[in-house]
Amino acid sequence: MREPVELRRQRILAAIEARGSARVSDLAAELQVSVVTVRRDVEELAREGRLRRGHGVVRSTLAAQELPAPAPPDGDAVAVVVPERHSYLYEALHGARAVLEAAGKRIALHIAPQVPGAERPLVERALADGAAGLLLAPRWRTRADEEGDYGWLAALDVPAVLMERRPRPGSALHAMDSVCSDHGYGAHLAVEHLVGLGHRRIVFATRDDSPTARTLRSAFAAIAGAHPLVEEWAWTLSAPEAGQDGLYAADETAELPVLLRKVGATAAVLHGDVDALMLVQQLADSGVRVAEDCSVVAYDDVVAGLGTTPLTAVAPPKAEVGRVAAEVLLRRLDGPEGAGGPVRRVELLPTLTVRGSTRAWSAPDEDTR
């Protein structure tokens, strides 16, 4: 599946803002596209004034006076570990960066590749380099991956805060600081919006390869199953490669247009934006109109508003998660309570933006049928 141009360009901007500069060839390798493609993107972004071009190098548009001050002595560095190719968490990184740099902290960014256990060696390297604290967003594609990291994370001897990760209650990490979006509330917003428009049959499609995806799947099932106005609902993987855990029933791996017809659904909620935009294209190819025949809600709202039909979307507070996580970490590093203060488990509420992909539904009369 080809990545939308604007999403790829946002990932380029995220990489440049995080590092200050990068080589075009390195960006092409990270994004898994050709150097020619990256050059075209860079030319357009430079034309829009969103970055600066050099000979084979791309730089942030921050003026020299806005760039971070020279690195403080070792011991004032904060290591930030986020997954490779994850634009959602890159926004959290930008939020954290603003807070940490304002506090005079040097950021050491580590990008974890898409392999199990990738975070641990990066954290060990950061600690060996003198990192005083950690902001972490482990990939945790499966529950086994998550539980396998509990032991060494619990043994860390520097302050650490998890971003968009909430350890299982009663686990070794239950008492670790964490800042998350309340994805259960985000699911509630999507369902109530559709039910309020008269939709009674809904299909949900999420990934199943991250803590966020698994939380959303559980939340959608609980909310739709208990809702007095939802007559029928079903869940499926948002993409064939999006599932890692367990065995799936046939409907749980069905193509979305097929499942929509089977359920008689008039609405769908998808995690995340790219899969939602792809569904709109698939429906159009089948002669199904969005939102006249089927309303669609995206979950993430990174590029949801850029489609031919701008998508109604739930937006977790991505940048705010990073900002609050950095503030929690700073309280541990520099605050009066220090390492002995109470553990903080912060939840931030998502918001819903209504666009053109959802509208009121009324059942057709018998003649229309």
Side-chain angles (χ1 to χ4, degrees):
M1 182 175 65
R2 182 174 295 177
E3 182 179 50
V5 172
E6 185 58 29
L7 178 57
R8 186 176 64 242
R9 289 176 180 173
Q10 284 202 5
R11 290 172 58 195
I12 290 172
L13 287 172
I16 299 306
E17 290 174 13
R19 306 173 200 172
S21 66
R23 294 187 303 175
V24 170
S25 57
D26 291 339
L27 291 171
E30 289 177 22
L31 298 174
Q32 295 184 325
V33 296
S34 70
V35 171
V36 172
T37 296
V38 173
R39 283 177 182 157
R40 289 188 188 129
D41 289 339
V42 166
E43 287 174 3
E44 180 60 23
L45 291 169
R47 187 186 66 78
E48 295 172 0
R50 300 165 76 182
L51 50 73
R52 294 181 296 142
R53 286 190 299 156
H55 293 292
V57 177
V58 188
R59 295 185 175 86
S60 169
T61 55
L62 289 175
Q65 63 269 24
E66 296 177 307
L67 293 174
D74 285 346
D76 262 356
V78 169
V80 181
V81 181
V82 294
E84 177 187 17
R85 293 198 293 274
H86 203 307
S87 58
Y88 179 109
L89 286 169
Y90 288 168
E91 292 195 41
L93 164 64
H94 299 330
R97 177 186 180 187
V99 172
L100 294 171
E101 290 181 350
K105 302 296 183 184
R106 177 170 60 88
I107 297 175
L109 177 62
H110 297 267
I111 307 295
Q114 299 185 61
V115 294
E119 289 82 10
R120 184 172 185 174
L122 295 178
V123 168
E124 291 173 346
R125 185 182 310 162
L127 295 178
D129 291 341
L134 300 165
L135 292 178
L136 302 165
R139 187 176 298 276
W140 286 348
R141 293 180 67 88
T142 68
R143 290 181 179 85
D145 291 342
E146 178 178 340
E147 293 171 0
D149 282 344
Y150 281 179
W152 69 267
L153 284 172
L156 291 172
D157 56 3
V158 301
V161 180
L162 291 171
M163 298 188 297
E164 283 295 17
R165 300 292 181 259
R166 180 58 48 85
R168 178 172 47 80
S171 70
L173 296 188
H174 190 81
M176 187 174 187
D177 290 320
S178 61
V179 179
C180 295
S181 301
D182 185 343
H183 295 296
Y185 181 72
H188 164 82
L189 287 176
V191 173
E192 287 300 328
H193 173 64
L194 292 171
V195 169
L197 291 174
H199 297 280
R200 300 294 181 259
R201 294 168 176 260
I202 306 171
V203 165
F204 305 103
T206 71
R207 305 186 67 84
D208 203 20
D209 58 358
S210 74
T212 296
R214 291 188 288 274
T215 297
L216 280 174
R217 177 183 179 179
S218 176
F220 283 132
I223 293 168
H227 203 294
L229 297 180
V230 175
E231 297 174 0
E232 189 169 352
W233 65 275
W235 173 87
T236 188
L237 285 173
S238 57
E241 71 278 6
Q244 296 291 321
D245 284 349
L247 299 174
Y248 301 102
D251 282 352
E252 295 177 336
T253 57
E255 292 188 4
L256 273 163
V258 173
L259 188 58
L260 285 165
R261 288 194 296 271
K262 180 177 180 180
V263 175
T266 61
V269 184
L270 285 90
H271 174 224
D273 293 357
V274 172
D275 291 323
L277 291 167
M278 293 295 292
L279 174 63
V280 171
Q281 295 174 23
Q282 292 168 4
L283 292 176
D285 292 341
S286 302
V288 178
R289 300 167 300 171
V290 175
E292 292 87 346
D293 303 323
C294 181
S295 287
V296 176
V297 177
Y299 196 99
D300 271 358
D301 205 14
V302 177
V303 294
L306 302 178
T308 304
T309 300
L311 301 184
T312 294
V314 176
K318 300 171 279 289
E320 190 65 16
V321 165
R323 283 192 287 269
V324 175
E327 290 167 357
V328 170
L329 182 62
L330 288 175
R331 291 179 71 116
R332 292 281 181 210
L333 294 173
D334 302 331
E337 298 171 349
V343 172
R344 288 174 170 80
R345 308 190 76 184
V346 183
E347 283 192 332
L348 304 175
L349 299 186
T351 57
L352 175 76
T353 299
V354 178
R355 301 188 180 100
S357 66
T358 55
R359 65 169 55 181
W361 171 262
S362 59
D365 57 32
E366 290 299 322
D367 291 339
T368 305
R369 289 196 184 109

